[in-house]
Amino acid sequence: MGFNVRTLLFITRNEGKVRELEELGRAHDIVIKQVGYDYPEVQADTLEEVARWGALHAIEIFKRTFIIEDSGLFVESLDGFPGPYSAYVYKTLGNKGILKLMSRIKNRRAIFKSVIALCEPSHEPVIFTGSVEGEIAKKAMGKEGFGFDPIFLYDDKTFGEMRRDEKNMVSHRRAAMLKLIRWIVEHKDVYTI
Ligand code: IMP
């Protein structure tokens, strides 16, 4: 994709997310620059709503173009829990707690979902979503990545056992980021980052 290097501000305190988006952006001449700021996360039923409210809050503060990302783990047999509450559940129950909740459950199907909001002053945020299907492992495996990675089984490995480039080949964040990049490329005549 032959367009000039652009810098995209990414408002987050999650270094793991930054490393992943940096690597994905690099392949398309997009430089991701982290801005460490905690925007308020509203309690809402969907990641899209959480991202949209975070975006509208942050745009008042930064008054320039940036992205934010909200993500979560949706476990089918737990009716999509923890979903939009993933950050809180990770902090409180952690991987151990999820494994305990799942100890007698046969259906272990789960989805990771990522929502990226591209935000510009005076515009509605543009939302890009990506997901990946996997299973909740029987035990935590691997030390790579962050959050629920060690308990999210994709094929025969957990995300915690994959190098970043391997996870970046299949992840929910990759799917959302590629949609964002496609959007930027399609709008490059009218859109400057
Ligand atoms: P938030 O997007 O900051 O609300 O946080 C979502 C939470 O979901 C994180 O704290 C992680 O625990 C979890 N999560 C989101 N994406 C991933 C991922 O790619 N790997 C592992 N855990 C994730």
Side-chain angles (χ1 to χ4, degrees):
M1 249 175 255
F3 65 100
N4 294 333
V5 174
R6 288 139 195 264
T7 301
L8 196 48
L9 297 186
F10 179 21
I11 300 182
T12 181
R13 286 213 186 273
N14 185 322
E15 304 283 337
K17 291 182 180 182
V18 176
R19 300 287 92 81
E20 290 180 18
L21 288 196
E22 265 176 358
E23 189 177 280
L24 288 164
R26 204 172 297 132
H28 299 271
D29 287 341
I30 290 179
V31 176
I32 296 291
K33 196 167 162 210
Q34 180 184 13
V35 178
Y37 172 76
D38 272 326
Y39 52 87
E41 286 202 8
V42 293
Q43 269 198 3
D45 292 339
T46 66
L47 297 181
E48 285 83 353
E49 275 177 89
V50 179
R52 187 170 172 278
W53 282 106
L56 292 176
H57 167 88
I59 204 80
E60 290 303 317
I61 308 226
F62 293 96
K63 300 191 193 306
R64 54 183 298 192
T65 302
F66 62 83
I67 56 169
I68 61 169
E69 195 260 12
D70 204 69
S71 41
L73 176 69
F74 296 73
V75 182
E76 188 174 280
S77 57
L78 303 178
D79 291 333
F81 180 84
Y85 310 107
S86 290
Y88 178 73
V89 169
Y90 182 73
K91 261 184 258 153
T92 51
L93 299 182
N95 287 334
K96 270 197 184 145
I98 296 285
L99 290 176
K100 205 165 163 194
L101 281 177
M102 296 293 290
S103 61
R104 290 169 188 275
I105 296 180
K106 283 220 168 62
N107 171 11
R108 307 189 72 86
R109 279 204 294 266
I111 292 179
F112 259 136
K113 195 169 156 188
S114 161
V115 174
I116 297 178
L118 175 66
C119 314
E120 255 190 311
S122 316
H123 285 81
E124 260 297 296
V126 192
I127 303 282
F128 305 89
T129 65
S131 60
V132 58
E133 290 179 25
E135 290 190 356
I136 301 300
K138 292 268 163 62
K139 59 180 180 143
M141 289 180 290
K143 295 203 180 316
E144 301 288 330
F146 66 96
F148 298 117
D149 279 343
I151 61 164
F152 186 82
L153 201 53
Y154 180 86
D155 284 346
D156 56 348
K157 273 184 185 180
T158 67
F159 273 3
E161 293 175 299
M162 292 185 183
R163 294 187 315 267
R164 186 184 308 128
D165 61 314
E166 289 179 274
K167 179 181 171 187
N168 262 348
M169 293 289 284
V170 296
S171 79
H172 49 316
R173 201 157 285 111
R174 172 201 177 86
M177 182 67 173
L178 289 188
K179 285 184 189 169
L180 164 67
I181 291 169
R182 204 170 307 137
W183 191 96
I184 292 173
V185 171
E186 281 166 8
H187 292 77
K188 68 177 188 289
D189 293 338
V190 287
Y191 192 83
T192 50
I193 295 176

